[in-house]
Amino acid sequence: MAKLIVDSEYLKDVDKARRELRALISNKNCAPIMLRLAWHDAGTYDVNTKTGGPNGSIRNEEEYTHGANSGLKIALDFCEAVKSKCPRITYADLYQLAGVVAVEVTGGPTINFVPGRKDSKISPKEGRLPDAKKGVPHLKDVFYRMGLSDKEIVALSGAHTLGRAHPERSGFDGPWTKEPLKFDNSYFQELLKGESEGLLKLPTDVALLDVPEFRHYVELYAKDEDTFFKDYAESHKRLSELGFSPAPTGAKAIVKDCTILAQSAVGVAVAATVVILSYFYEVRKKMK
């Protein structure tokens, strides 16, 4: 595809899309499924083959009909309504922005969003996303394949504080927390309590307590929400940028420096002109 240029017009569409998403998510209480969409588009990344990742390919029927993506056509249609009002933004950026906004409007941390992801029509084969019925080895296989760490596995799992499982989509039923539309650290607190009536704990949730390298972070986040928010924001940003190389931050500095140099050159030219004109003025005065 043609090179994506993140210019002022593109950034205007990003800002407008952010506003549209805030209104949409607040109106439809759809933060959980929008966050799930962002995750599932990004979570197919393979650090070894450099394939998959947050490239908008989940909009392909071949991919959104994968078993792990059951129900996500709802979120795709929500995003399509935003895309129609903000045509410049790529699907890849839109889906990741939707995840960022979903966390923020439900009380979670602010996540730094960098635009510029390109869209792809190439979908990875089914089977790259986590299987909720499996345990520690599977979690490590999936997240290590993405290039993520143990801390990031646990921090990202904390997003289960939002939403609920639906039996027609996953075979499981129920919310993880008592307030499934509020982003906080209650997922970890509930996990440490053990079985609670009416609340869900998947095998992949319980797996976080099975090994010390995971449990350490569960206990930390359960008692320290600020640390959880900090680590979650960093982990979410990393997930949303897998395989994506943002434009170097120095680009703006270069433009700025060039502008300063140009302005300096103009200043020198003006000063020289003033000196020359002053010289000729003095010469003419002496000749009179």
Side-chain angles (χ1 to χ4, degrees), residues 4-22 79-98 101 113-116 119:
L4 175 62
I5 299 175
V6 181
D7 56 13
S8 60
E9 292 303 310
Y10 188 89
L11 293 176
K12 284 181 184 177
D13 260 21
V14 171
D15 286 342
K16 183 177 181 181
R18 186 188 290 270
R19 294 193 300 272
E20 292 288 338
L21 285 165
R22 282 178 184 150
C79 285
E80 198 63 46
V82 175
K83 172 75 169 171
S84 67
K85 299 176 183 177
C86 312
R88 291 184 186 86
I89 191 170
T90 62
Y91 285 102
D93 272 351
L94 179 58
Y95 298 157
Q96 294 312 311
L97 183 60
V101 173
F113 177 77
V114 180
D119 286 336

Side-chain angles (χ1 to χ4, degrees), residues 10 13 22 29 40 43 87 89-90 95 100 121 132 139-140 169 179 200 255-256 258-259:
Y10 188 89
D13 260 21
R22 282 178 184 150
N29 284 333
H40 283 215
I89 191 170
T90 62
Y95 298 157
V100 165
K121 292 292 288 183
L139 276 178
K140 289 190 172 186
R169 299 174 188 172
E179 295 184 90
L200 177 67
V255 172
K256 184 178 179 181
C258 290
T259 302

Side-chain angles (χ1 to χ4, degrees), residues 43-47 127-131 134-148 153 242:
T44 59
Y45 187 65
D46 187 318
V47 70
R128 290 194 181 186
L129 294 170
D131 183 339
K134 297 185 177 180
V136 172
H138 172 71
L139 276 178
K140 289 190 172 186
D141 285 346
V142 170
F143 283 90
Y144 288 178
R145 188 210 67 228
M146 296 183 218
L148 300 177
I153 291 173
L242 293 175

Side-chain angles (χ1 to χ4, degrees), residues 183-254:
F183 195 102
D184 57 17
N185 67 336
S186 60
Y187 166 79
F188 299 107
Q189 295 172 346
E190 294 294 345
L191 197 54
L192 290 172
K193 288 179 184 177
E195 292 300 320
S196 300
E197 186 177 355
L199 297 183
L200 177 67
K201 288 178 179 62
L202 299 170
T204 44
D205 297 320
V206 177
L208 300 181
L209 302 176
D210 289 345
V211 290
E213 59 267 35
F214 288 168
R215 188 181 184 108
H216 163 72
Y217 289 108
V218 172
E219 293 174 347
L220 173 62
Y221 297 152
K223 67 181 180 182
D224 190 341
E225 187 175 76
D226 289 342
T227 297
F228 166 51
F229 274 25
K230 176 181 176 293
D231 289 352
Y232 179 83
E234 292 172 355
S235 302
H236 184 129
K237 184 177 188 298
R238 182 129 187 264
L239 175 68
S240 75
E241 294 180 355
L242 293 175
F244 165 53
S245 299
T249 54
K252 291 182 179 179
I254 292 170

